[in-house]
Amino acid sequence: MHASIRCTVAPNHRVVRLAAVCLTLAACGGEPKSQAAESANAAATAATPAATTPAPVTPAPAAAPAAAEVAITGKTHEVRMIGDATGYRFDPVNLTIKAGDGVRWTFVSGGPHNVSFWADSIPGGAAAQLNAAMAKQMSPLTGPLMLQPNETYTISFGGAAKGTYRYFCTPHLALGMKGTITVQ
């Protein structure tokens, strides 16, 4: 005699396995079907944990304060983020600014785009200041993804260490979307 067994995943996998074994034995002639069903029901009842009182809910700790906003005390420079038939790029690709200036990246086409700095390609000790100036980070030194044309992301280089800051667009790094900011 052949029987088809159909098991579904339940929260208690042991009950499912036990029921499947009982049904298999019944199909092979081990027990009459009514006894197999009773055995499966008894096993399910025995395996069900007794009702328990839920543990008290502990409030989550307060969220960490947002990164401190660093003021732009100089000029704000514009960098366009472009992806089209000629490639993916920052325009301008190289930018020279003064400490205290800001940089505003604008998504023009071909997104999503973001701004991410290489930790080993910025001046020593600059990571903490740069992280503090980057709102809504995906991870350290990585700004959020911009999904819509005309979205902008601005970083203040107020108090930034002088030197070269190499950066890239995470989704388009393999396509060569990289840039450099030199703080004088």
Side-chain angles (χ1 to χ4, degrees):
M1 170 194 305
H2 288 69
S4 66
I5 299 174
R6 182 176 178 185
C7 294
T8 57
V9 177
N12 190 336
H13 299 290
R14 283 185 234 138
V15 172
V16 172
R17 280 190 231 127
L18 182 58
V21 168
C22 291
L23 291 173
T24 302
L25 288 174
C28 295
E31 288 183 58
K33 289 184 183 181
S34 61
Q35 287 179 346
E38 287 176 20
S39 296
N41 286 339
T45 303
T48 304
T52 58
T53 306
V57 176
T58 305
E69 195 166 313
V70 180
I72 296 172
T73 58
K75 179 180 177 182
T76 299
H77 302 267
E78 298 289 332
V79 176
R80 299 170 5 128
M81 305 166 99
I82 302 168
D84 59 22
T86 61
Y88 287 79
R89 64 198 173 279
F90 293 104
D91 181 31
V93 70
N94 299 308
L95 182 64
T96 300
I97 66 173
K98 295 184 173 117
D101 287 355
V103 178
R104 179 182 305 124
W105 286 268
T106 301
F107 172 152
V108 175
S109 60
H113 295 296
N114 76 339
V115 175
S116 185
F117 292 87
W118 277 289
D120 64 349
S121 297
I122 60 176
Q129 181 280 328
L130 193 54
N131 276 318
M134 295 178 72
K136 301 177 185 173
Q137 293 179 332
M138 291 183 1
S139 62
L141 300 175
T142 302
L145 286 176
M146 291 184 271
L147 304 173
Q148 300 296 321
N150 299 318
E151 279 187 74
T152 63
Y153 187 66
T154 304
I155 299 175
S156 169
F157 284 81
K162 292 180 180 182
T164 301
Y165 294 74
R166 292 184 55 229
Y167 68 96
F168 59 96
C169 172
T170 303
H172 301 115
L173 175 59
L175 298 174
M177 192 168 178
K178 301 182 264 186
T180 302
I181 297 171
T182 303
V183 178
Q184 295 181 334

